[in-house]
Amino acid sequence: MTDPHSLAARAVTALERTTGVLPEFGLCLWDGSSAGPRTPAVVLPSPRAWRRLLHRPGRLAAARAFIAGEMAIEGDLTELLHSAVPLALAATPGALARRLPRAVAGAAELLSLAVRAGALGRTPPRPRREVRRHLRGLDAVRHHYDAGNGLYEVILGPTMAYSCAYWPVSTGGTATLDRAQREKLDLICRRLRLRPGMRLLDIGCGWGALLSHATEHYGVRAVGVTPAREQAAYVAARLTREGLSDRAEVRCCGYQDVADGPYDAIASVEVTQHLGRREFSAYGSRLHHLLAPGGRVLAHDVHVTPEGLPWRRDPVILRYVFPELNLRLLSENVRCLETAGLEVEQVHDLRPHFAHTFRAWLANLEAGWDNAVEHVGEERARSWRLFLALGAVGWERGWIGATHTVATRRDHPQKR
């Protein structure tokens, strides 16, 4: 039974008084006291995390404590993040301002407890892996995708496909990640109506999963582009190993540098989230220019939903995983294609599939934890664990969406 006078119990009470919300997770402190559910629970093995949170309350401080190893989680990380959402919403400046007297009293009590517990002192330094300046363009892309192929091999599994997998209804959601990724690759090829001899451009080709699949199973001649050097080297070696290098190639460049169009089909997989405002405004026109008349483009996009707009510029993701992440509304992505003169034919929702995908990636990382740490170190591995858990929560709560948008270039008036 929890001692109501213990440090953990009094901290939970003060936090409830500050926010008006009783935490739905447990708290275990360095003095051996605990309060709330046994799992999921936040474990603080020393006062360092409390000290960090007092200095700068909020999600970023909590993330820093987790990434630095000053905070551990007992139980399922995604379950804890789900249970922390009401508290996070109640702790926003606007919400606290609406209950200002009680919030101030609660915060003062937390400070008083920290003094008596010896939790005050100099704020711990930021984790070494934190991005301290705003990276843009190629620097931001390379920070993310050149994190180390070894890390991605642990997370992504055999297909090395880094986008939303597709779990067919026929499997009841029980297919392996590998099968679901191959289903996704085949779905893209079918929606592009690929046939032998067609030219395919794969923008943001990742580690070559679609290049390999489309060339081997649909007989296309394919070009993949990625500005990430480690990815390009991996894809080149993959195509050679699979005997496909005579029909497919990879170029280490941006799609803006492709000058040998037109292509019969274009796959643009999770590209728009990396584009700044100026690049995005020219993106649709560039696709139109590279596509042959009658050709099809499939844009596999991640977008933010109206409910997710408050979380669009998440400081945790921007400082540790995606230094430049520009999620737009679905309507903006569709309008970009239409404004460029492409006729949008189909928009397919993938959100439930991406929630499942992030769960599978997180499970892979946790199962291969020692291997991941060996490749990239503890801090980066922890930042990715947090990113994947946050992503799973975002998809499951409907804050983020994903779609396949299929469009055609038509250079003649339609018959009526």
Side-chain angles (χ1 to χ4, degrees), residues 271-292:
V271 171
T272 55
Q273 66 203 51
H274 299 298
L275 302 181
R277 183 179 302 174
R278 182 178 300 176
E279 295 170 305
F280 183 70
S281 65
Y283 165 73
S285 297
R286 190 61 185 160
L287 293 182
H288 186 281
H289 174 76
L290 290 168
L291 196 61

Side-chain angles (χ1 to χ4, degrees), residues 33-48:
S33 64
S34 62
R38 293 186 61 183
T39 179
V42 172
V43 181
L44 305 185
S46 78
R48 289 173 66 88

